[in-house]
């Protein structure tokens, strides 16, 4: 089975119980998460041989974070240890018309201050076929920006397929810096994964006749966005997730995929949201899995979209579903009937 490598930061996640607000919470639940780790765990749950590369502090919190990866069968052989602290993010889950809120505390984390000496890419990529990164990692620090570029160059030199989820985070960097850095990284990327806001905020490619705040989506306009991005940045494949946010509790979810020749459109799911965080990562992992396993373009898109849909029903960063769970949704009516 093809070996897949994911590179990024694993964080401590602290969140009030249920839908409590920070200002009323008396305790915070402890979990772990992060965009690239979410992808790695999904892939491991699907049975893929997947390695996660990061740096964690040599203390009990770092060990707990490492154990959260081992629990699901992720290869942690290339996790560096050292530095002062584990990155943290705080999550307040939204409901109805109240948005979810993320607060980051990840400056000067072990990962943000990692260096080229922490990772021997030639050894990490030995036997690997696929490398996944996101736009979160280079936004964390100058060191992480250079490491992302270095890793992508080496992966390309060794012939790996490279996927990148743009994942623009306004709390980490500006649009101007994101465009400059991600344009350089994109030279090495085969598969770009994004949504309409990422395309606009990172590359300045605006999708016309759409308004995600009011739930207006013009699929034909999104198809034009894909073709513009493919031509301008040379991506051989692009996937865009399409989200109609009726409220924080109710979303419609679908996606489109350009395989280099043709654009495919997925089924749309109407979702009652349990947790939205990690749904894009679940989509990315589903697409990577399906394409690496040789699915056709339409089937790969349907698998990825269903995986992202299911994540909305799972609390925590990680998508706790199997490939069989995803396939069951793909081939069902999607009504969530009891399995007996």
């Amino acid at each position: 089975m093809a070996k897949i490598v994911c590179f990024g930061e694993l964080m401590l996640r602290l969140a009030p119980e249920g839908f409590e607000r920070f200002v009323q919470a008396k305790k915070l639940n402890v979990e772990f998460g992060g965009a690239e780790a979410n992808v790695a765990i999904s892939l491991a749950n699907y049975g893929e041989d997947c390695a996660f590369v990061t740096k964690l502090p040599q203390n009990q919190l770092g060990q707990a974070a490492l154990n959260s990866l081992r629990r699901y069968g992720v290869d942690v052989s290339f996790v560096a240890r050292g530095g002062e602290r584990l990155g943290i993010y705080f999550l307040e889950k939204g409901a109805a018309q109240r948005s979810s809120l993320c607060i980051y505390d990840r400056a000067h984390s072990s990962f943000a201050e990692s260096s080229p000496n922490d990772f021997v890419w030639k050894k990490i990529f030995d036997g690997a076929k696929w490398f996944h990164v996101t736009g979160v990692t280079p936004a964390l620090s100058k060191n992480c920006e250079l490491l992302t570029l270095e890793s992508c160059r080496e992966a390309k030199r060794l012939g790996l397929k490279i996927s990148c989820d743009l994942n623009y985070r306004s709390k980490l960097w500006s649009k101007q810096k994101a465009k400059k850095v991600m344009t350089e990284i994109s030279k090495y990327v085969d598969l770009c994964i994004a949504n309409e806001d990422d395309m606009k905020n990172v590359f300045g490619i605006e999708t016309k006749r759409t308004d995600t705040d009011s739930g207006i989506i013009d699929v034909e306009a999104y198809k034009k966005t894909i073709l513009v991005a493919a031509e301008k940045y040379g991506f051989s494949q692009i996937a865009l997730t399409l989200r109609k946010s009726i409220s924080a509790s109710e979303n419609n979810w679908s996606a489109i995929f350009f395989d280099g020749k043709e654009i495919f459109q997925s089924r749309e799911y109407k979702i009652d949201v349990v947790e939205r965080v990690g749904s894009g990562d679940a989509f990315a992992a589903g697409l990577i899995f399906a394409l690496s396993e040789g699915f056709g373009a339409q089937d790969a898109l349907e698998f990825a979209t269903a995986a992202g849909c299911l994540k909305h029903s799972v609390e925590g960063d990680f998508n706790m579903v199997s490939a069989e769970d995803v396939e069951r949704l793909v081939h069902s009516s999607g009504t969530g009937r009891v399995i007996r």
Side-chain angles (χ1 to χ4, degrees), residues 130 161 191 237 239 257 259 284-301 303:
W130 197 301
K161 182 167 182 173
L191 168 62
Q237 297 177 319
F257 175 55
D259 71 346
L287 190 60
I288 293 168
F289 168 78
L291 292 175
S292 66
E293 290 297 313
F295 286 36
Q298 185 69 55
D299 288 340
L301 176 62
F303 186 95

Side-chain angles (χ1 to χ4, degrees), residues 77-325:
S77 303
F78 305 109
V79 173
R81 303 299 296 273
E84 297 299 322
R85 63 186 298 263
L86 186 66
I88 304 170
Y89 91 94
F90 299 84
L91 173 67
E92 179 184 282
K93 288 171 61 176
Q97 278 64 48
R98 176 170 59 82
S99 300
S100 294
L101 174 64
C102 288
I103 298 175
Y104 292 124
D105 179 18
R106 54 201 299 187
H108 307 295
S109 68
S110 294
F111 182 72
E113 297 192 350
S114 54
S115 72
N117 294 329
D118 291 315
F119 311 111
V120 182
W121 294 110
K122 185 176 181 180
K123 183 177 180 180
I124 291 169
F125 292 142
D126 183 30
K129 300 293 179 65
W130 197 301
F131 182 49
H132 181 69
V133 294
T134 81
V136 176
T137 298
L140 294 174
S141 66
K142 186 63 178 180
N143 284 5
C144 287
E145 175 190 332
L146 296 176
L147 281 167
T148 306
L149 275 167
E150 178 189 0
S151 62
C152 286
R153 288 193 189 107
E154 184 66 8
K156 181 62 68 175
R157 187 184 73 81
L158 293 172
L160 279 71
K161 182 167 182 173
I162 301 173
S163 56
C164 178
D165 190 333
L166 293 183
N167 263 350
Y168 176 70
R169 298 290 185 265
S170 62
K171 292 184 177 181
L172 296 179
W173 59 355
S174 68
K175 296 176 186 178
Q176 293 75 19
K177 183 65 182 293
K179 183 174 184 178
K180 179 181 178 181
V181 173
M182 295 310 295
T183 295
E184 182 65 24
I185 290 171
S186 293
K187 295 176 182 178
Y188 307 97
V189 172
D190 301 293
L191 168 62
C192 176
I193 302 167
N195 60 32
E196 70 288 335
D197 289 333
D198 292 333
M199 282 291 180
K200 179 181 177 181
N201 292 327
V202 176
F203 292 142
I205 303 173
E206 189 166 357
T207 304
K208 300 185 182 300
R209 302 187 302 278
T210 64
D211 185 344
T212 52
D213 287 336
S214 60
I216 298 172
I217 287 182
D218 186 327
V219 175
E220 293 305 314
Y222 281 101
K223 291 179 180 179
K224 291 180 181 179
T225 294
I226 275 185
L227 295 176
V228 169
E231 181 177 359
K232 187 172 183 179
Y233 294 97
F235 302 124
S236 57
Q237 297 177 319
I238 302 178
L240 286 185
T241 55
L242 311 181
R243 183 188 298 275
K244 296 178 183 176
S245 293
I246 293 91
S247 71
S249 304
E250 185 180 356
N251 289 182
N252 292 346
W253 167 265
S254 62
I256 56 177
F257 175 55
F258 175 59
D259 71 346
K261 298 178 181 178
E262 186 178 349
I263 297 177
F264 299 84
Q265 182 176 349
S266 80
R267 163 187 179 180
E268 183 178 68
Y269 294 92
K270 299 183 185 300
I271 301 172
D272 294 316
V273 180
V274 172
E275 180 164 328
R276 174 174 165 171
V277 173
S279 55
D281 306 324
F283 174 88
L287 190 60
I288 293 168
F289 168 78
L291 292 175
S292 66
E293 290 297 313
F295 286 36
Q298 185 69 55
D299 288 340
L301 176 62
E302 296 295 354
F303 186 95
T305 307
C309 172
L310 286 174
K311 175 60 191 73
H312 291 80
S313 71
V314 180
E315 291 188 330
D317 261 53
F318 305 150
N319 195 20
M320 297 291 91
V321 300
S322 66
E324 290 75 16
D325 292 328

Side-chain angles (χ1 to χ4, degrees), residues 36-78:
E36 304 82 4
N38 298 344
V39 171
I41 285 175
S42 278
L43 289 167
N45 284 339
Y46 298 152
E48 291 291 332
D49 176 11
C50 184
F52 185 64
V53 180
T54 192
K55 186 172 184 178
L56 298 170
Q58 189 71 56
N59 58 29
Q60 290 179 323
L61 282 178
Q63 190 61 46
L66 190 72
N67 291 346
S68 74
L69 297 168
R70 284 180 170 151
R71 177 182 178 185
Y72 301 105
V74 174
D75 182 349
V76 295
S77 303
F78 305 109

